[in-house]
Amino acid sequence: MACLTIALTKGRLEQQTLFLFEKAGINCSFMQEKQRKLIFTSPDQRFKFLLVKAADVTTYVRHGVADIGIVGKDVLVEHPHGYYEMLDLGIGKCKFSVASIPSYEPNDHKRKRIATKYPTIASDYFREKGEDVEIIKIEGSVEIAPVLGLADAIVDIVETGTTLKENGLEIFEDICLISARLIVNKAALKRKRSEIFQLFDQLEPVIEGGNDN
Ligand code: PRP
C-alpha cells in the first residue's frame, strides 16, 4: 500500500484533526514527540504528515508534494484552484463576520474601508450587497484596524469571539459559516485511489455535521 502524504494546517486545526483521526481508529501518537519537527511518518508507513501554514496547504497539494490537504474553507475560498475538495470534516467550525467598533454605522452611505486577510470573501460579500467598498489587505491582527482608524470595519474569522471582545469590537453582520475541508491532489486521486478511499471510509462515520457551503 502506498504512503499517503497529508499536508496539515499547523495550530488549532492540527489538534482537532488528530483527534478526528484517532476517533477513526488511526493511531497518531507518533505525532506527539514533536518539538519543532514538521514531518512525521507513521510507524506502519501508511501516512506522512507535513505541518504547514494554512495558506500553504493548497500549494503543497496543487504541486503534488502532498496527496491530501486539511485546511479551512476560508483558505479554499481565497485559493480555489488545482485540487478536489472532497470532505467537510465538521471541525474547525467558525464564521466570517463584519465587525467594528460600536460607533460603526453599517447602513450609512459613505464608501467604507474594509480591512481583511480575506480580500476575496470581503469583496464578494459587499459586491453581492451592491455596496462599493475599498478593501485594505492586512496580514494579521486585523482587529486593531478599526480601533486605530485604518478602516471602518473588518471582515474576519470569528470562532469564540474572544479576540473581538478583547479589542472592543462587535459583530455587525455574519457572512457565512466555515469548517475544515479535506482536499485531494488530482493525480493522486487516480494513482492512490484505494488508499484515499480507505481513509474516507474510516473518517466518514466519525465526522459530525459540517458547515455545508
Ligand atoms: C483568527 C482570526 C481572529 C481569531 C478569532 O486568527 O483572524 O483573529 O482567529 O478567534 P476567536 O473568535 O476565537 O477569538 P488566527 O488565530 O487563525 O491567527 P492568524 O491571525 O495568524 O490567522
Side-chain angles (χ1 to χ4, degrees), residues 45-65:
Q45 312 279 310
R46 186 176 166 204
F47 300 110
K48 186 194 274 184
F49 284 99
L50 317 177
L51 297 183
V52 301
K53 291 275 269 186
D56 297 330
V57 168
T58 54
T59 308
Y60 280 98
V61 172
R62 205 176 329 108
H63 287 271
V65 172

Side-chain angles (χ1 to χ4, degrees), residues 149-160:
L150 177 69
D152 299 300
I154 63 171
V155 165
D156 201 16
I157 288 175
V158 181
E159 189 177 356
T160 62

